[in-house]
Amino acid sequence: MIEVRELTKRHGATVAVDGLSFQVRPGLVTGFLGPNGAGKSTTMRVLLGLDAPTSGQALVNGRRYATMRHPLREVGALLDANAVHGGRSAYDHLRCLARSNGIGVSRVADVLERVGLAGAARRRAGDLSLGMRQRLGIAAALLGDPGVLMFDEPVNGLDPEGVRWIRHLMRSLAAEGRTVLLSSHLMSEMELTADRLVIIGRGRLVAETTVGDLAARH
Ligand code: ADP
Ligand code: ADP
């Protein structure tokens, strides 16, 4: 469960998020829809403790990220696949992450398998294609078997097969009862993937709806 309450985040004179409130429930894919610059990444960054809110609250399972003892076991996220780099192998990258988060190392093989990277486990993370780094980032998000997952524009730069794979994964994660928040600036992306939509613009809530209701109104 994700709860954002009256969240405001300013960067100097820029108001990235402006009094935003919404909830994300388990067992569904909730699409976080809005044009570039609407405040989607900022909201996710605050939920993940990477940015401090100016005011308001951003809670996962009723708590702030900073207060979680083993955050990766509660919430996983893919913010930017380009952030996956380095000379370590895909396997070592995940093993280090598991160690520092109190997660059993046996999970590493499980998540590599789930994202289809078992065959690439020994390759250097920095040498993988964008699509493979995307999968490695998702493997890291799944490592702690968290109930809450956030994906920021995960299909950006992927080929059609990669897009289908992401869509199928989102559906499976929700079917397992997890809370899934998926951001995109493309309505077409949401139609096939999301159950519910939280639509924002200029840092503010525009609508909370379902894809079906939105289509019926236009
Ligand atoms: P602050 O929270 O004080 O703005 P940050 O570390 O978040 O500091 O950002 C440092 C600087 O990088 C910002 O002042 C801004 O100029 C620039 N910056 C970073 N990300 C963005 C972005 N998404 N859009 C515009 N400027 C950005
Ligand atoms: P989205 O993810 O919906 O594209 P963002 O959360 O990245 O939107 O950005 C919201 C607004 O806040 C934009 O105007 C962006 O330029 C600005 N912004 C985001 N991060 C920073 C930062 N670190 N410093 C200054 N401005 C920022």
Side-chain angles (χ1 to χ4, degrees):
M1 172 90 176
I2 296 171
E3 282 179 89
V4 173
R5 296 189 198 143
E6 294 291 320
L7 180 67
T8 293
K9 175 63 182 178
R10 289 196 198 95
H11 292 284
T14 307
V15 185
V17 178
D18 188 7
L20 183 64
S21 301
F22 65 90
Q23 294 188 356
V24 187
R25 292 192 296 270
L28 302 172
V29 176
T30 298
F32 197 20
L33 181 67
N36 286 327
K40 305 180 297 293
S41 300
T42 302
T43 302
M44 288 183 170
R45 287 179 56 82
V46 174
L47 282 161
L48 294 163
L50 298 168
D51 264 343
T54 304
S55 63
Q57 287 183 304
L59 307 174
V60 174
N61 299 331
R63 288 190 292 145
R64 285 186 299 123
Y65 191 91
T67 67
M68 295 175 189
R69 194 159 126 76
H70 289 301
L72 278 200
R73 293 196 202 157
E74 296 200 47
V75 50
L78 177 78
L79 293 188
D80 181 2
N82 288 311
V84 177
H85 50 70
R88 280 182 305 188
S89 70
Y91 183 90
D92 283 344
H93 176 77
L94 295 174
R95 195 189 52 177
C96 291
L97 210 52
R99 282 227 181 108
S100 54
N101 280 276
I103 296 164
V105 170
S106 66
R107 284 284 302 161
V108 172
D110 295 347
V111 294
L112 282 169
E113 182 72 35
R114 179 152 197 189
V115 304
L117 280 184
R122 287 168 190 278
R123 289 178 55 187
R124 285 161 43 102
D127 292 345
L128 299 174
S129 68
L130 175 67
M132 289 171 105
R133 276 181 281 138
Q134 203 93 346
R135 288 173 190 245
L136 182 56
I138 291 171
L142 298 177
L143 196 59
D145 198 17
V148 177
L149 288 153
M150 289 179 235
F151 302 95
D152 194 7
E153 303 269 2
V155 306
N156 272 6
L158 296 190
D159 60 18
E161 200 232 309
V163 173
R164 276 196 298 278
W165 179 79
I166 294 263
R167 188 176 296 148
H168 182 255
L169 179 73
M170 300 293 120
R171 300 297 328 154
S172 313
L173 293 169
E176 290 163 10
R178 298 180 214 262
T179 302
V180 181
L181 182 63
L182 165 70
S183 88
S184 177
H185 61 286
L186 294 173
M187 181 62 196
S188 56
E189 193 49 45
M190 297 301 186
E191 281 167 349
L192 294 162
T193 314
D195 303 293
R196 237 181 105 238
L197 292 176
V198 171
I199 306 176
I200 69 167
R202 296 169 189 247
R204 297 183 183 198
L205 188 71
V206 172
E208 276 190 272
T209 183
T210 61
V211 175
D213 280 353
L214 195 66
R217 268 192 269 145
H218 290 280

